[in-house]
Amino acid sequence: MRQKFIITLVAVTSILGCTSTQPSNQSNPAISSPTPNIENIKGHMNFLADDLLEGRDTGSRGAELAALYIASEFKKYGLTPGAGNDSFFQRVTFRKALLVQESPSLTFSGEQTLALDYPSDYIVGPSAARVDSKVNAELVFVGYGIVAPEFEHNDYADLDVEDKVVVMLSGKPASFPSEEGAHVASGSQKSKYAVERGAIGIITLQTPAGEKVRPYQTSLNYIHTPRMRWIGEDGIPGNVHPEIQASAYLSMPTAKKLFENAGKDLEQVYAQLENDEVPVGFELPVTMELSYQSTHEDLTSPNVAGVLPGSDPELADEFVVFTAHYDHIGISKSVEKDRINNGAMDNATGTSVLMETARMFSTLAEAPKRSILFLAVTGEEKGLLGADYYAQNPSVEGEMVANVNLDMPLLTYESADVIAFGAAHSTMGKSVENAVANAGISLSPDPWPELNLFTRSDHYAFVKQGIPAVFLVTGIESKTPGIEGDKVLSNFLKTNYHRPSDDLSQAFVWPAAKTFAQVNFEIGLELAQQEARPAWYKESFFGKTFGKVFVQE
């Protein structure tokens, strides 16, 4: 207990009592690359991944201590508080919703009345928008429930879903491009398509392909998991469609029963999917009554923002944004002796490199032309929530023009390359390539396009606001003969990812952290110094969907 008290006291006093260290010799216009300090990164890791912080779950005391530590480091480097009101903390309110497990009730009325059992037949999730969820309406099958003019695809063509429940297949057509398909087939987009056409409920059906990737039985392990959303100043949950009064997810056997009750054959639909044919929607002569209850608890957790002001009067109001999430998943509910998910690799590594990159910039004789925002975000593990809140509610006065996101760099081997997911969509790719060469390593293309990683970390919140972004991770080409980076990653995901074993006992190779920090510094410097701000390529799907600034012909 005494040791915990001392560590906590050190974290607090480092904010309250430290003096600012300003970048030295601001009159010198020359910019040379400082050297990353491995011991600094080690020190950050030792604190962030310590048992004291109990896995840094969003809204927990451990996460608050982590945020306090990060802010103290930003202050020590002489960064300007970037959250407004002379503060490093952008306080975000979250709503934590839990399903009342005894409450779900689902009945289909068609050729016969079919009462289903929760959770063996269907799953519902808690609602952040309402305590009592209830819908009673007719059903319409809408295929995948996707509207994508770019791919000449509209599952709602010639269908009337006003005041009805839409029944949709999970996933997307196999012919859709990977990254673009991940966007149009996301749950939020499918809800948006439904709401825009007047639907009031959603039923999602498990498919054979979905069953192979994530069996329905596996989903039952998560029925007690809370759902979290950020709450705006108006008290409304962000990115929630309150028009959807209730929704449910059906197992394959249950989905077949539903179609049989409507006089339809779901096997024919599944056969079409096997041939990558798009099923045509139709009305289901069935009425559904679904209800369940949720409990709500509001809590807060901060994003931590520090700014290095730019030196060019014309460019200083443009911000290059570095992001890394400092939260993790907290304490496991298990009988194991070690239940603390320390999150050393996920994402104490990225957060520590973010802080060291900030320190490196603070030592420059003259700040770069553009301002740089160093942003440690909360709530990533809950659905990219902290980054999404910040992207929609930025605290800096100016315009964010680029985002470099650091999430779970693997530091257990020295990589000879880095991967920048999203580099092909904007001129940031060329900037990253130049910067990486300055750091003495190479830039590799995405080796796992089927995983859709460009849409699965904090940078994507900025992409959706039209800001070019890359998600930077260590590559899979090892400097050490005999080590295969993809196997190292695979082993981490199988044995340590989101487990208590993701702690400091792993065999970290600290020179890898030094290289990764150097790469990040070089990228930030390149983006902050170049004359033209990053721009989307006109042919990029994400540029066409969200972009504001495009490459000129």
Side-chain angles (χ1 to χ4, degrees), residues 54-60 63 92 94-98 128 224-230 238-240 299 301 325-333 341 346 377-388 407 456 458 497-498:
E54 297 181 334
R56 309 187 305 277
D57 196 12
T58 302
S60 70
V92 185
F94 296 98
R95 175 164 298 160
K96 182 170 139 182
L98 278 168
H224 295 280
T225 301
R227 179 172 294 171
M228 195 175 286
R229 294 289 185 269
W230 59 260
N239 302 323
V240 170
L299 51 89
S301 185
H325 76 91
Y326 69 87
D327 66 302
H328 196 52
I329 62 173
I331 300 175
S332 298
K333 294 180 180 179
N341 296 282
D346 182 19
V377 296
T378 184
E380 190 271 351
E381 300 289 0
K382 309 302 182 186
L384 318 183
L385 298 184
D388 186 69
D407 189 357
R456 293 173 58 183
D458 288 313
Y497 178 69
H498 280 195

Side-chain angles (χ1 to χ4, degrees), residues 537-548:
Y537 292 128
K538 292 182 178 180
E539 66 275 14
S540 166
F541 168 83
F542 298 97
K544 288 186 290 187
T545 303
F546 305 114
K548 301 172 184 175

Side-chain angles (χ1 to χ4, degrees), residues 19-35:
T19 57
S20 298
T21 303
Q22 300 292 342
S24 60
N25 195 10
Q26 291 291 312
S27 62
N28 185 354
I31 295 183
S32 58
S33 297
T35 301

Side-chain angles (χ1 to χ4, degrees), residues 75 101 149 159 191 254 280 346 365 417 502:
K75 184 175 183 180
Q101 292 294 318
L159 294 175
S191 295
T254 306
V280 177
D346 182 19
D417 64 329
D502 180 15

Side-chain angles (χ1 to χ4, degrees), residues 38 57 63 74 96-97 112 118 158 160 178 234 249 295 327 370 383 403 459 478 491 493 508 527 530 537:
I38 291 177
D57 196 12
F74 285 174
K96 182 170 139 182
Q112 57 182 349
Y118 170 86
D158 302 320
D160 177 15
S178 178
D234 55 6
Y249 190 89
T295 62
D327 66 302
R370 288 184 176 83
N403 172 234
H459 61 284
S478 174
N491 182 66
L493 294 176
F508 286 95
L527 294 171
Q530 64 190 19
Y537 292 128

